[in-house]
Each structure stands twice: as structure tokens, then as C-alpha cells.
Amino acid sequence: MLDTVAVASKAKIDLETISNGPSNSRISKSEDRMLLNTMIACRFLILVIHFLTYAGTTTFASDRPETPLEKMKRERKERVKGRASGSNAADRQRDLEKRRRQLELEDYRTGKKKRDLPPDSPLRIGIKQRPRMCNARSKRGNTLRVHYNGTLYSDGKQVDCSIDREQPFEFVLGAGEVMEGWEKGLYNMCLKEKRRLVIPADLAYGNAGAAAAGGRIHPNATLVYEIELLRISTGTKG
């Protein structure tokens, strides 16, 4: 193949020498035509040689080892094709779950989210506001009227709020009408007092959290309630 290229190149050079030389006028028409045809044939031969060289390179490229970059691109194309065809649903679900865990860990690392307290943790009671005079305190059997705002401990998302509804909530303390965290956290509370309760899962909704509050509470969720006591009465609700 290299010899052919050399011959073609030499013929091209000789042709240019003859065409530009002083003896050009002595060349007959038949010889001129023959040299022109030779030049065209040489150029065509050169093009054929280049084409065969390129074709040989691409044909045998698959025989060489696959580079890491090529492997990564191939696997990515296969994943995209699999997602498009729907045949890789399990892999897609694993990828989504892995991505969700990565984002969750990043939120924990940056402080955007907090881990829920262990379900058997003790109840945390914080006093946000207490009146100077406490003439009445809540006790078992009292009917309490309260305003509250409930959020998730992990990310602060709201799960329920009587203030937004503009409708205070009433219940009988100690009658089992509310979660255990409320029963314990609102005992001995002054009228107009405000408390912040951090309630672990065992004193809230436990494993059934996903079914509570329209699915806004995940299983074993730690809840935070800010509660204001509006009224204490000894009679029935109403």
C-alpha cells in the first residue's frame, strides 16, 4: 500500500514537471491527454488509499481494550436505554433510593434535618411563657381548651395547627382522648401558660405515624408541639 502511494506521488510530481517545463509545446495532444488521465487516476488512487486506511482503522478499533471513559459512557447509555424501555425498574428504584439516602445524609450533615429521638426517650417539656399569677393549674379530669402548632422534629414541617383553623381544641385531661405526650406534658399547667413539648414516638403515634395526620407523620417520628392553655374548666366539653 505504501509503494502504491509512493508511485502515485512520483507520477504526480513528474506530471507537474512536464506541465510546467519548457518542452510543454512539443508534447502531442495524445500524450497530453494520457498525462491528464494519469494524473486523474493517481488522485483517485490516493483517495481510495486514504479511504481504505480510515476504514481499516475504524474496523479494527473494537479489537483494542475499552478505556475507562468509554466504559463509563457505554454503561450510561445502557442505563438510559433501560430506563426508557422500562426493563430496569428495579435498578431505577435502587438508584432513587440511593439518591434519597445521600440527600438525607447531606441534610443531616448541614443541619437542615435532625434525626428523630429514640422512641423510648423521655418527654421534654419547655416553658415558653408563664403568667406572673397562677391562680389555676390543670389536673386530671379538667377540660382544657388549647391552641397548638405541631411540627416534625426532624425538619420542622408542620403537621397540624389549630391556630390556622382558628378553632381551639378541647379535651379532658387524663381521659385518653389525646396522645400520652400531651397527657403528661400538660399536667399542672397554668392558665395562659405556653409550653413546648418534644414528644418521642412511644408517647406519640409510634409505628403508625404514616397513617396519622394524612400521612404527614412518618413512622417513629418525634413531634414538637407548642401549646397555649386558653381555659380550664371542671365540667364537660362544650
Side-chain angles (χ1 to χ4, degrees):
M1 183 179 295
L2 295 177
D3 292 341
T4 308
V5 174
V7 170
S9 300
K10 186 175 185 305
K12 180 181 178 182
I13 294 172
D14 292 343
L15 180 61
E16 292 176 351
T17 303
I18 293 173
S19 301
N20 298 327
S23 60
N24 187 36
S25 58
R26 296 195 298 269
I27 298 176
S28 65
K29 291 184 179 180
S30 60
E31 290 176 342
D32 191 15
R33 190 180 301 110
M34 182 180 65
L35 290 175
L36 180 61
N37 291 337
T38 303
M39 182 181 70
I40 295 174
C42 289
R43 290 184 180 275
F44 178 75
L45 182 60
I46 291 173
L47 291 175
V48 171
I49 291 172
H50 282 304
F51 173 77
L52 292 177
T53 303
Y54 175 76
T57 303
T58 55
T59 301
F60 298 104
S62 59
D63 296 339
R64 61 180 176 77
E66 188 178 36
T67 65
L69 180 59
E70 291 172 341
K71 181 180 179 181
M72 182 178 66
K73 290 182 178 179
R74 176 179 56 78
E75 291 176 348
R76 182 179 179 183
K77 288 181 179 179
E78 290 174 354
R79 287 197 300 270
V80 171
K81 185 178 180 181
R83 286 196 292 268
S85 63
S87 61
N88 246 347
D91 291 340
R92 184 165 66 255
Q93 185 63 32
R94 283 194 295 268
D95 291 342
L96 291 174
E97 182 64 22
K98 182 179 178 181
R99 178 60 178 165
R100 186 192 66 78
R101 289 197 300 267
Q102 290 175 344
L103 292 175
E104 188 175 21
L105 290 174
E106 182 65 18
D107 287 342
Y108 289 140
R109 188 184 67 81
T110 58
K112 292 181 180 179
K113 291 185 68 174
K114 296 183 290 186
R115 296 186 183 277
D116 289 310
L117 299 177
D120 57 351
S121 299
L123 174 67
R124 300 180 184 180
I125 303 174
I127 309 299
K128 295 194 67 178
Q129 178 181 313
R130 177 177 288 173
R132 292 183 179 181
M133 301 294 294
C134 186
N135 298 322
R137 291 180 179 271
S138 60
K139 59 183 180 180
R140 185 181 180 86
N142 287 158
T143 298
L144 306 184
R145 173 177 286 188
V146 300
H147 260 321
Y148 66 88
N149 181 42
T151 58
L152 294 175
Y153 177 80
S154 59
D155 58 11
K157 289 183 179 179
Q158 188 181 79
V159 295
D160 195 11
C161 183
S162 67
I163 302 172
D164 293 346
R165 295 193 302 270
E166 297 182 354
Q167 181 179 357
F169 175 68
E170 287 190 359
F171 67 98
V172 178
L173 187 63
E177 298 178 357
V178 293
M179 66 180 68
E180 189 176 355
W182 276 39
E183 297 277 13
K184 295 181 176 181
L186 302 183
Y187 180 75
N188 202 33
M189 187 174 180
C190 296
L191 187 64
K192 301 301 180 181
E193 183 179 331
K194 293 182 180 180
R195 289 186 179 182
R196 183 177 187 270
L197 307 180
V198 179
I199 307 175
D202 283 356
L203 301 178
Y205 294 103
N207 288 326
R216 292 188 296 272
I217 300 176
H218 55 270
N220 293 320
T222 301
L223 302 178
V224 179
Y225 282 94
E226 294 187 0
I227 304 173
E228 180 183 6
L229 182 55
L230 303 176
R231 188 178 72 184
I232 303 174
S233 60
T234 56
T236 58
K237 292 185 293 184

